[in-house]
Amino acid sequence: MRRLIYAAVIPLLLLIQVSFCSDHIELPTAGWTISKSSQAKIDANAIIKAAFSSSSVYKRLAYMTDTYGPRLSGSSALERALDWVKEEMEKDGLKVQEEKVKVPCWVRGHEYATLLSPRVKSLRMVGLGGSVGTPNGKPLVAKVLVVSSFEDLKKREIEAKGKIVVFNVPFQNYGTTVNYRYSGPEAAEKEGAVAALVRSISPFGLQTVHTGEMGTAGIPSAAVSLEDAEMFARMQARGQEVVIELYMEAHTLPDQLSRNLILEIEGSEKPNEIVVFGGHMDSWDIADGAMDDGGGAMVSWEVIRVLHNLKLTPKRTLRAVLFVNEENGAKGAQQYFQDHEHELNLTSIAIETDEGTFTPYGISFQGSKAARAILNDIGMGLLSTIGAGNVTGSGVGTDIAYVCDQGVPCGNLLVLDPRIGNLSNNPCNGFSHPPYPEADPLKSAYFWYHHTEADTVDKLSPQQLQHCAAALGVWTYSIANLNSLLPR
Ligand SMILES: *[C@@H]1O[C@H](CO)[C@@H](O)[C@H](O)[C@H]1NC(C)=O
Ligand SMILES: *[C@@H]1O[C@H](CO)[C@@H](O)[C@H](O)[C@H]1NC(C)=O
Ligand SMILES: *[C@@H]1O[C@H](CO)[C@@H](O)[C@H](O)[C@H]1NC(C)=O
Ligand SMILES: [Zn+2]
């Protein structure tokens, strides 16, 4: 994921002072002040009430994940899930547009890893997305070299040749540690390794193994559990010889045709101007993908369903996109960007929800100070009743990154990690700057389940999904109803 910081050129008139912890921000023009409009409050409360009075999101998410299971791009399960979603949307009385997307098709096939020395043990392992299989369709047997970092690998480069390199790197945060999953295999291949095993990118494990996309490498690459990676390191430190047998059938088939699903509520005054938001339908092939990101896709659909039922039409068009291929290629995001590039200067904001649909507390925002002030006003005025009105520092998800890179204001729905919840150490009581306290990575439960078999619907509650739909509904509807597009 790329992040872009641009210097916003703000006209003198719009210059505002955003001071640390201050919620008294001078708004650019009087017309912006949402919290003073009684109609805006009535609409927001109607959206909140409607979202909290329906259990359809959870039911649909549970049905989809139970019935179709994992939805990797290129799989028939993804296509059947998309067909079902489309039919259900039509039953809701919504018009669905399909946008064709060519997606990669990676197939895991059968795979296993066995520790042969110093004892025999069947290992928990999952091949990394994009990996090749073991050569000639045969298992390979090799000695193991455990390294603790890229630097450590460099120091021991002579030892790496002909070995299975294990990257035993403890989780710091996702953005940092995921580099080992992405670039580890290629680095090991460069030193002549025959395979790469990466400690699962997670702060905690119960022999859980986490897959995910890797960069390009010509050697078979897989994830192992935290526990086993630690054990290999202990064995190596004692001078024990560690030998592993690895077998993988992973391969890549030709690209397949899939689609993004799009729902709209056409704007009443400025139908060509757009507020776009969404989540992704695809998941890894071992994960039901309830948290990542079935919940985000279902909640985006729910926003349109709720507004449609309430017959609430904002000034601008609201567009929900259920993307495909977020996990291994972002082709759905690229296709959306290509098909809608001509509309980017008419896009007020793009909002993604892909961090788990737990209890929402606001949005992270990338854009101008003037736009941020407006969002703070909306958050305080219309979302504080459900605690979802915080606006924090920048964040851009994969599915909207292409749009954001072109200067469109962007946001991510922020959710409380299920294991976090103590706000008393936030100097601002959770509001405004500084952002909501950084999640303690050691307590971050999202990454316990992310890209594993354990990403199932029980990790979410019906109330959390309703809460997310309420929050996303008020945010998107209110922004679509402003007097103007959000200032760049
Ligand atoms: C967006 O671009 C189109 C054509 O490129 C132009 O007609 C339109 O006025 C622009 N809109 C805004 C809001 O800048
Ligand atoms: C900000 O987040 C905290 C934590 O969830 C919440 O208690 C508070 O109400 C939120 N503020 C607003 C304006 O929604
Ligand atoms: C919350 O955090 C504060 C400050 O870090 C600490 O003193 C307090 O005991 C914590 N409360 C709970 C319920 O964990
Ligand atoms: Zn995701």
Side-chain angles (χ1 to χ4, degrees):
M1 193 181 64
R2 291 154 307 138
R3 284 182 184 186
L4 198 78
I5 297 168
Y6 8 87
V9 185
I10 305 164
L12 211 63
L13 246 172
L14 296 186
L15 266 183
I16 44 164
Q17 279 241 311
V18 182
S19 59
F20 218 53
C21 289
S22 158
D23 51 356
H24 303 287
I25 292 164
E26 201 70 37
L27 291 171
T29 66
W32 292 113
T33 313
I34 294 305
S35 50
K36 295 204 175 82
S37 150
S38 57
Q39 189 57 45
K41 272 194 177 144
I42 291 166
D43 292 350
N45 291 337
I47 294 166
I48 291 167
K49 197 171 157 216
F52 273 105
S53 62
S54 164
S55 56
S56 76
V57 196
Y58 187 85
K59 280 192 191 146
R60 281 171 158 166
L61 180 61
Y63 181 88
M64 182 180 81
T65 53
D66 289 347
T67 309
Y68 303 105
R71 303 173 302 282
L72 186 63
S73 291
S75 70
S76 68
L78 173 61
E79 294 312 306
R80 283 183 287 128
L82 287 165
D83 286 342
W84 174 77
V85 166
K86 188 174 174 236
E87 270 168 39
E88 291 292 302
M89 286 170 164
E90 282 162 356
K91 282 188 204 158
D92 287 345
L94 307 173
K95 211 175 121 231
V96 191
Q97 296 166 56
E98 289 183 310
E99 190 168 61
K100 286 194 170 61
V101 184
K102 227 177 176 192
V103 296
C105 185
W106 176 77
V107 180
R108 172 181 308 283
H110 182 57
E111 59 185 15
Y112 68 80
T114 311
L115 179 68
L116 298 179
S117 165
R119 63 159 160 141
V120 175
K121 183 198 182 223
S122 172
L123 301 169
R124 301 267 308 166
M125 64 77 86
V126 280
L128 296 180
S131 178
V132 296
T134 43
N136 310 316
K138 290 206 190 104
L140 65 81
V141 175
K143 288 181 195 165
V144 164
L145 172 71
V146 182
V147 298
S148 58
S149 64
F150 289 121
E151 296 70 44
D152 193 24
L153 172 64
K154 204 74 216 152
K155 260 190 258 160
R156 309 184 69 156
E157 60 186 338
I158 305 157
E159 294 170 74
K161 199 166 158 47
K163 299 248 174 69
I164 296 176
V165 168
V166 173
F167 290 93
N168 177 35
V169 185
F171 184 87
Q172 279 180 22
N173 56 63
Y174 191 68
T176 305
T177 316
V178 79
N179 283 325
Y180 286 93
R181 188 187 79 209
Y182 202 77
S183 308
E186 193 189 354
E189 182 185 19
K190 232 179 238 160
E191 307 303 349
V194 293
L197 297 176
V198 179
R199 169 178 163 147
S200 286
I201 311 300
S202 176
F204 174 74
L206 290 170
Q207 287 288 3
T208 338
V209 280
H210 300 242
T211 190
E213 185 73 338
M214 60 180 268
T216 311
I219 55 172
S221 307
V224 292
S225 71
L226 270 64
E227 290 93 332
D228 285 342
E230 285 284 325
M231 178 178 71
F232 302 149
R234 289 193 301 274
M235 288 169 166
Q236 175 171 289
R238 275 182 211 120
Q240 290 173 308
E241 187 173 80
V242 184
V243 179
I244 286 177
E245 175 175 323
L246 178 70
Y247 177 69
M248 291 173 66
E249 291 175 357
H251 59 283
T252 301
L253 294 175
D255 290 353
Q256 307 261 320
L257 213 50
S258 188
R259 54 232 146 106
N260 293 332
L261 299 182
I262 298 182
L263 294 173
E264 284 187 352
I265 302 241
E266 194 179 29
S268 58
E269 288 179 19
K270 296 177 173 172
N272 296 336
E273 297 185 3
I274 295 146
V275 164
V276 62
F277 59 99
H280 66 90
M281 280 288 293
D282 63 304
S283 73
W284 279 103
D285 61 332
I286 58 167
D288 281 0
M291 282 185 351
D292 182 15
D293 180 32
M298 296 285 133
V299 159
S300 304
W301 163 15
E302 179 70 354
V303 166
I304 299 288
R305 191 188 72 86
V306 161
L307 292 172
H308 175 82
N309 287 351
L310 289 171
K311 299 192 167 53
L312 274 179
T313 309
K315 290 176 188 152
R316 283 174 203 79
T317 295
L318 276 180
R319 178 183 293 159
V321 184
L322 278 64
F323 293 93
V324 289
N325 194 227
E326 191 274 347
E327 296 293 2
N328 59 335
K331 297 294 180 207
Q334 288 167 27
Q335 192 66 51
Y336 178 84
F337 173 69
Q338 273 174 32
D339 293 352
H340 302 275
E341 203 174 355
H342 61 286
E343 293 173 330
L344 295 188
N345 71 346
L346 300 172
T347 302
S348 193
I349 191 169
I351 300 180
E352 179 164 337
T353 165
D354 187 18
E355 295 179 0
T357 32
F358 308 112
T359 305
Y361 68 94
I363 56 172
S364 62
F365 180 68
Q366 174 178 286
S368 66
K369 280 185 177 177
R372 186 179 292 273
I374 292 159
L375 296 181
N376 267 315
D377 182 47
I378 293 175
M380 277 299 276
L382 304 177
L383 284 125
S384 59
T385 48
I386 57 166
N390 295 281
V391 182
T392 73
S394 74
V396 173
T398 306
D399 280 327
I400 57 172
Y402 298 92
V403 168
C404 308
D405 281 0
Q406 300 302 311
V408 172
C410 276
N412 279 349
L413 188 70
L414 291 170
V415 291
L416 291 171
D417 192 280
R419 288 259 302 181
I420 314 287
N422 184 351
L423 289 172
S424 58
N425 49 6
N426 184 338
C428 298
N429 296 322
F431 176 68
S432 194
H433 298 268
Y436 183 78
E438 271 302 302
D440 176 348
L442 293 175
K443 291 182 179 166
S444 177
Y446 179 73
F447 288 109
W448 297 4
Y449 310 121
H450 182 249
H451 297 182
T452 75
E453 251 183 281
D455 178 2
T456 44
V457 74
D458 49 278
K459 305 305 180 303
L460 297 162
S461 75
Q463 293 73 26
Q464 288 172 330
L465 290 162
Q466 291 170 335
H467 205 154
C468 284
L472 192 62
V474 174
W475 275 116
T476 54
Y477 178 84
S478 309
I479 298 168
N481 233 357
L482 290 168
N483 292 337
S484 315
L485 293 169
L486 282 179
R488 294 292 199 262

